[in-house]
Amino acid sequence: MVDGLYLARHADVITFIIRWAVTPQASAKHAVAALRESAPEGTPILAVLNQQERAKLFGYYSYSDYYVD
């Protein structure tokens, strides 16, 4: 996080990647607030959810989801 805060001062746009269903909401909010303080005023911060299963997001499941060993 420290490297990101330093680099935010020089960025035109910031991409903040959040690990889906793992990163606590409070931690993500704290990190975005820290980035906003470090970045120049008006710098957009884009959030990206990582490791989200697209199939389950849209309600599609594979046959292997029905079988449990």
Side-chain angles (χ1 to χ4, degrees):
M1 183 67 188
V2 175
D3 293 339
L5 293 177
Y6 175 76
L7 293 173
R9 299 177 193 160
H10 307 287
D12 295 327
V13 176
I14 297 169
T15 303
F16 183 70
I17 301 172
I18 303 167
R19 192 165 175 203
W20 173 259
V22 175
T23 305
Q25 187 176 9
S27 296
K29 285 182 178 182
H30 177 71
V32 169
L35 285 170
R36 282 194 180 144
E37 289 178 16
S38 295
E41 188 174 334
T43 303
I45 299 175
L46 308 173
V48 176
L49 298 176
N50 191 19
Q51 294 184 349
Q52 183 175 6
E53 293 183 41
R54 288 183 61 95
K56 291 185 180 180
L57 175 68
F58 295 109
Y60 301 111
Y61 297 90
S62 68
Y63 289 111
S64 64
D65 290 342
Y66 296 110
Y67 301 102
V68 179
D69 290 333

